[in-house]
Amino acid sequence: QVQLVESGGGLVQAGGSLRLSCAASRRTFRSYVMGWFRQAPGKEREFVAAISWSAGSTYYADSVKGRVTISRDNAKNTVYLQMSSLKPEDTAVYYCASDRVMPSGPLPATPDEYDYWGQGTQVTVSS
């Protein structure tokens, strides 16, 4: 199974910045898209951003547009989520995920469209 390992989470003050990383090991299938999701206590897992490995096409949730940037380093099989102007409501466990299916339309933005998931990394934004 593909291994996805997130890192970079932690405690940050409101207005601060944080960069999350997701290292992916692709051995048994080809990953076309990587996504970031987050889940706060008592809430459903929500889409944050996605990026395609090939063209680097991106797609962002409206809630984070302008504050986050997703990027990838193909040579390192790593995707990043750069977050700035963080707010307490950004507090959540952040997960990266891989989609093995080549999208024919918009990049996938729902959890069930992704095949593999990392363990998550906690991001806590203090007031």
Side-chain angles (χ1 to χ4, degrees):
Q1 185 171 323
V2 168
Q3 295 175 296
L4 303 176
V5 181
E6 302 99 332
S7 62
L11 177 64
V12 63
Q13 295 181 354
S17 300
L18 208 60
R19 188 180 76 161
L20 308 182
S21 299
C22 176
S25 176
R26 298 177 291 178
R27 297 169 295 171
T28 61
F29 75 97
R30 183 175 182 82
S31 173
Y32 285 97
V33 177
M34 296 292 291
W36 283 98
F37 291 77
R38 66 186 183 185
Q39 188 166 21
K43 295 185 177 180
E44 296 294 315
R45 189 167 298 188
E46 67 171 336
F47 172 75
V48 177
I51 188 169
S52 64
W53 285 109
S54 57
S57 301
T58 59
Y59 181 49
Y60 297 94
D62 290 338
S63 61
V64 300
K65 284 183 178 179
R67 299 193 299 116
V68 307
T69 300
I70 188 170
S71 61
R72 86 281 197 247
D73 186 331
N74 294 72
K76 296 181 179 180
N77 290 328
T78 301
V79 296
Y80 306 94
L81 188 71
Q82 178 68 49
M83 302 184 290
S84 62
S85 300
L86 286 166
K87 307 173 182 179
E89 50 263 45
D90 293 318
T91 295
V93 176
Y94 284 71
Y95 300 89
C96 70
S98 174
D99 179 15
R100 64 185 176 182
V101 178
M102 180 180 178
S104 58
L107 269 54
T110 58
D112 60 4
E113 293 179 282
Y114 289 82
D115 305 295
Y116 297 97
W117 295 81
Q119 294 295 314
T121 184
Q122 176 70 48
V123 172
T124 302
V125 184
S126 62
S127 301

